[in-house]
């Protein structure tokens, strides 16, 4: 029966041995798969495009798009609007398009191989590089989780008019653990629907701010489609780099390659695989378009209302409305500096309390949704790299504890400015981890021994290589700017030593990638391109 979660008859008849794996392997794969159910795909649909099939494939792309809407992205958006007006909207658009192309590679890897990126890394790389790669991705996941903790703590503080202190808001986020486990019991489709609900809350919240501020639509379109930044200096350049670093997140590549495994696809049927790739790409495009619009709402609100504003102007306006937060804005003519917390306060001063509370609700939804996708990412990464199968409860408890401890220390002993300032460091941390997702995904999707007929063509190899080189270069610039601003000789020396080890490891990954892209002279002994040497799962021969 269709719609009851059962596999169709044609797929039932294929035994595990026919699929190229033993019964033991089949059982292990079932245990290690994070999803207990497979979403059935409608059959006997003859149209070139079917909304029924698109609906069956809808879900993974929207879960993936949450990473484009986490509190770190929201802060990057509002700072972009406040510092550069509408001038950097085209950078946001370009970063989202690049993100879509990278997510396409991730989805194709999962659909074609039946393995997610961490599992393929486990089979491709030797033990030491594999462990290092796992640690780097874990750092990115923990950094993202910390941003969620910060966002939720600030949202609780704003919603309670300061009655819930920041340290208490940090502790409240522990409840996310139980919320996640509670929702997960009710099935994958209901969990995906809940994520859709949270995205809807963000769209309505930030859309309300957009309507209230009523930005100039001509300026919005001009900033979006004219790749030029008139009168921009180092501040705007830094912000443009920060946008790319915030939008493209390393653990999201691992996440998306695993989420697509939740659909019931016969990987031996080339037509089904091709069809799945098509519908997942369409769904990802729609999901990232929605996330792009939400990001545009935030940028446009702060560009229209607060670009060029001084601390003095904001202080006077907050005094008029009787705000209790006027001390956040010193009496000087320096340009206004905003973050997630100040952004809500400023909106309340200029557009009334409703704007502040609705802003906080949007931030809370962003934080709550991103913690759940971060937990998924952590589970996939740990299982794939280490073959270590922890319970969901243990996994959430570990990552959340690591994320809460440093954040709680700052919340207790410092103020909200230091708490929001951690976002800059966390964006830098995730920027540094980006090559550890982008290089492997290009490597493996270019190897015919892994992807068969779906390996990247020449254009995708060249385009993907150039894109990844560009993104990594932009993010490395962001890291260098951040480190040089620290003004500490000791940190400079430490950074130099770490940079040598960091670049050596990236060089190792690039060596593998170049061989996959066709530079066969680097493949000494045929270790990379020879499928018997990389211990990958036997790939299916497609049915005619």
């Amino acid at each position: 029966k269709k719609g009851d979660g059962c596999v169709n008859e044609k797929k039932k008849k294929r035994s595990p041995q026919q699929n190229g794996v033993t019964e033991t392997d089949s059982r292990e794969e079932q245990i290690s798969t994070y999803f207990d159910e497979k979403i059935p795909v409608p059959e006997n649909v003859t149209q070139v495009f079917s909304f029924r099939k698109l609906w069956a494939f809808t879900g993974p792309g929207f879960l993936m798009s949450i990473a484009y809407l986490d509190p770190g992205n929201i802060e990057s958006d509002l700072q972009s609007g406040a510092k550069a007006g509408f001038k950097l909207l085209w950078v946001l658009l370009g970063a989202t398009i690049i993100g879509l192309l990278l997510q396409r590679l991730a989805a194709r890897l999962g659909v074609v191989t039946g393995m997610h990126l961490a599992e393929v890394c486990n089979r491709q790389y030797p033990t030491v590089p594999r462990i290092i790669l796992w640690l780097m991705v874990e750092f990115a996941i923990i950094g993202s989780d910390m941003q969620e903790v910060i966002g939720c703590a600030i949202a609780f503080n704003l919603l309670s008019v300061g009655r819930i202190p920041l340290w208490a808001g940090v502790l409240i986020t522990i409840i996310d653990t139980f919320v996640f486990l509670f929702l997960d019991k009710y099935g994958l489709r209901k969990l995906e629907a809940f994520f859709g609900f949270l995205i809807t809350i963000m769209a309505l919240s930030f859309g309300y701010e957009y309507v209230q501020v009523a930005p100039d639509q001509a300026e919005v379109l001009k900033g979006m489609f004219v790749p030029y930044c008139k009168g921009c200096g180092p501040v705007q350049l830094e912000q443009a780099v920060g946008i790319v670093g915030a939008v493209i997140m390393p653990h999201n590549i691992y996440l998306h390659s695993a989420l697509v495994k939740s659909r019931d696809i016969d990987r031996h049927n080339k037509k089904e695989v091709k069809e799945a790739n098509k519908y997942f790409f369409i769904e990802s495009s729609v999901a990232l378009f929605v996330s792009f619009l939400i990001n545009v709402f935030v940028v446009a609100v702060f560009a229209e209302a607060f670009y060029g504003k001084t601390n003095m102007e904001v202080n006077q306006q907050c005094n008029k409305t009787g705000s209790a937060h006027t001390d956040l804005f010193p009496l000087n003519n320096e340009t206004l500096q905003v973050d997630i917390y100040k952004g809500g306060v400023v909106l309340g001063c200029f557009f009334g309390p409703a704007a502040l509370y609705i802003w906080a609700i949007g931030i809370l939804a962003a934080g709550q949704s991103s913690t759940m996708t971060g937990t998924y990412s952590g589970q996939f990464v740990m299982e794939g790299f280490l073959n270590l199968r922890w319970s969901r409860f243990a996994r959430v408890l570990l990552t959340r504890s690591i994320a809460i401890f440093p954040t709680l220390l700052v919340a207790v002993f410092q103020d909200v400015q230091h708490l929001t300032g951690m976002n800059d460091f966390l964006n830098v941390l995730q920027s540094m981890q980006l090559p550890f997702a982008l290089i492997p995904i290009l490597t493996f999707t270019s190897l015919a021994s892994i992807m068969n007929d779906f390996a990247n063509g020449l254009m995708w190899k060249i385009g993907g290589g150039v894109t990844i080189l560009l993104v990594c270069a932009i993010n490395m610039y962001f890291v260098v700017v951040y480190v040089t601003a620290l003004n500490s000789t000791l940190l400079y020396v430490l950074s130099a030593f770490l940079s040598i080890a960091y670049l050596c490891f990236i060089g190792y990954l690039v060596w593998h990638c170049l061989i996959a892209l066709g530079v066969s002279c680097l493949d000494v002994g045929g270790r990379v391109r020879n499928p018997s040497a990389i211990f990958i799962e036997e790939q299916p021969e497609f049915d005619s």
Side-chain angles (χ1 to χ4, degrees):
K1 294 181 182 179
K2 295 179 181 177
D4 63 355
C6 296
V7 185
N8 60 63
E9 286 299 318
K10 182 183 75 172
K11 293 174 188 174
K12 279 183 179 178
K13 293 177 182 178
R14 187 178 295 276
S15 68
Q17 290 85 349
Q18 288 173 308
N19 283 339
V21 294
T22 65
E23 290 184 4
T24 302
D25 293 334
S26 181
R27 286 196 299 270
E28 288 181 355
E29 184 179 357
Q30 187 177 5
I31 293 171
S32 66
T33 301
Y34 198 63
F35 305 106
D36 297 325
E37 61 178 309
K38 293 280 187 180
I39 306 301
V41 177
E43 295 184 351
N44 302 321
V45 178
T46 57
Q47 302 99 313
V48 176
F49 176 81
S50 166
F51 280 103
R52 285 180 61 215
K53 283 201 170 185
L54 179 60
W55 178 248
F57 286 104
T58 296
F62 282 91
L63 268 69
M64 168 272 295
S65 72
I66 293 294
Y68 292 73
L69 296 168
D70 71 347
N73 273 288
I74 301 301
E75 180 157 309
S76 176
D77 292 337
L78 65 89
Q79 289 177 346
S80 171
K83 293 179 180 179
F86 301 99
K87 300 173 186 175
L88 297 180
L89 278 173
W90 63 273
V91 177
L92 177 62
L93 176 61
T96 305
I97 292 173
I98 291 174
L100 174 63
L101 298 178
L102 295 172
Q103 299 298 162
R104 174 187 180 270
L105 295 179
R108 284 171 69 87
L109 181 71
V111 170
V112 174
T113 67
M115 297 183 289
H116 55 73
L117 181 55
E119 290 174 321
V120 179
C121 287
N122 185 18
R123 290 157 174 78
Q124 169 71 17
Y125 295 121
T127 303
V128 174
R130 184 173 73 241
I131 297 299
I132 296 173
L133 200 56
W134 167 67
L135 289 173
M136 295 298 102
V137 179
E138 286 290 354
F139 284 143
I141 293 171
I142 292 169
S144 176
D145 210 34
M146 288 178 69
Q147 287 182 319
E148 181 276 326
V149 171
I150 292 169
C152 286
I154 290 172
F156 286 128
N157 184 267
L158 290 173
L159 287 170
S160 65
V161 199
R163 292 187 181 91
I164 299 178
L166 292 172
W167 63 266
V170 171
L171 291 177
I172 289 173
T173 59
I174 296 175
I175 297 173
D176 292 343
T177 302
F178 304 103
V179 171
F180 173 76
L181 293 174
F182 174 77
L183 288 171
D184 201 42
K185 291 180 179 179
Y186 289 91
L188 182 59
R189 279 309 241 182
K190 292 183 176 64
L191 188 64
E192 289 173 348
F194 180 72
F195 278 107
F197 173 69
L198 292 177
I199 293 173
T200 303
I201 289 177
M202 284 185 267
L204 293 175
S205 300
F206 300 131
Y208 170 85
E209 310 287 359
Y210 186 85
V211 172
Q212 280 289 100
V213 174
D216 187 333
Q217 301 303 308
E219 288 297 315
V220 172
L221 293 175
K222 180 181 175 182
M224 198 180 299
F225 296 109
V226 179
Y228 182 66
C229 191
K230 184 178 179 181
C232 290
V235 173
Q236 288 75 23
L237 177 61
E238 262 184 63
Q239 193 57 48
V241 171
I243 290 173
V244 178
V247 167
I248 303 173
M249 304 180 74
H251 65 279
N252 210 31
I253 305 296
Y254 288 86
L255 173 68
H256 198 197
S257 66
L259 291 174
V260 297
K261 293 172 61 177
S262 61
R263 268 48 185 179
D264 188 19
I265 302 164
D266 180 7
R267 293 193 301 108
H268 292 74
N269 188 319
K270 185 176 180 179
K271 182 180 176 182
E272 281 195 31
V273 173
K274 187 175 181 180
E275 189 176 64
N277 285 331
K278 177 182 74 172
Y279 282 108
F280 275 131
F281 181 70
I282 294 172
E283 187 242 357
S284 297
S285 301
V286 173
L288 289 188
F289 176 71
V290 172
S291 72
F292 172 70
L293 286 182
I294 295 173
N295 284 313
V296 168
F297 289 161
V298 178
V299 174
V301 164
F302 283 84
E304 179 70 26
F306 308 117
Y307 176 54
K309 285 279 195 303
T310 64
N311 286 321
M312 181 77 75
E313 292 174 293
V314 176
N315 186 291
Q316 291 172 351
Q317 180 64 31
C318 288
N319 266 325
K320 286 181 185 178
T321 58
S323 172
H325 302 286
T326 53
D327 58 317
L328 291 174
F329 312 103
L331 291 169
N332 58 44
N333 286 317
E334 293 182 7
T335 304
L336 174 68
Q337 300 289 325
V338 289
D339 48 44
I340 291 179
Y341 184 77
K342 285 185 180 178
V345 171
V346 172
L347 285 170
C349 291
F350 280 80
F351 301 100
L356 185 152
Y357 293 129
I358 291 174
W359 168 262
I361 290 171
I363 296 298
L364 186 61
Q368 293 295 318
S369 56
S370 62
T371 185
M372 296 183 187
T373 54
T375 302
Y376 268 131
S377 301
Q379 187 77 15
F380 294 139
V381 165
M382 182 173 284
E383 285 185 355
F385 277 109
L386 306 180
N387 279 328
L388 184 61
R389 294 161 192 149
W390 283 19
S391 69
R392 274 162 269 202
F393 180 84
R395 173 70 213 182
V396 179
L397 198 60
L398 174 67
T399 55
R400 183 46 52 90
S401 299
I402 295 173
I404 281 179
F405 183 69
T407 312
L408 186 61
L409 289 179
V410 175
V412 170
F413 296 107
Q414 299 289 342
D415 53 20
V416 69
Q417 281 80 10
H418 290 85
L419 195 62
T420 55
M422 286 179 68
N423 266 322
D424 292 334
F425 168 75
L426 295 173
N427 280 333
V428 168
L429 176 66
Q430 293 182 83
S431 295
M432 292 182 66
Q433 313 313 318
L434 202 54
F436 305 126
L438 302 191
I439 296 174
I441 195 64
L442 180 62
T443 301
F444 301 139
T445 53
S446 298
L447 281 172
S449 59
I450 294 177
M451 298 291 288
N452 286 318
D453 296 343
F454 294 94
N456 292 331
L458 181 61
M459 292 302 296
W460 268 99
K461 289 179 180 179
I462 296 173
V466 171
T467 300
I468 289 173
L469 181 64
L470 177 64
V471 170
C472 290
I474 289 173
N475 281 276
M476 287 306 103
Y477 172 83
F478 185 40
V479 172
V480 169
V481 168
Y482 181 84
V483 172
T484 53
L486 296 176
N487 295 321
S488 170
T489 305
L490 179 62
L491 288 175
Y492 291 160
V493 174
L494 180 62
S495 298
F497 280 110
L498 291 175
S499 296
I500 294 172
Y502 177 81
L503 292 173
C504 286
F505 186 58
I506 288 181
Y508 173 82
L509 297 178
V510 169
W511 170 64
H512 272 257
C513 188
L514 288 175
I515 295 170
L517 293 177
V519 188
S520 55
C521 60
L522 298 176
D523 190 9
V524 181
R527 294 292 298 171
V528 175
R529 298 182 68 84
N530 181 5
S532 65
I534 59 177
F535 308 108
I536 64 167
E537 181 185 78
E538 181 184 347
Q539 294 304 298
E541 294 181 3
F542 293 117
D543 295 337
S544 59

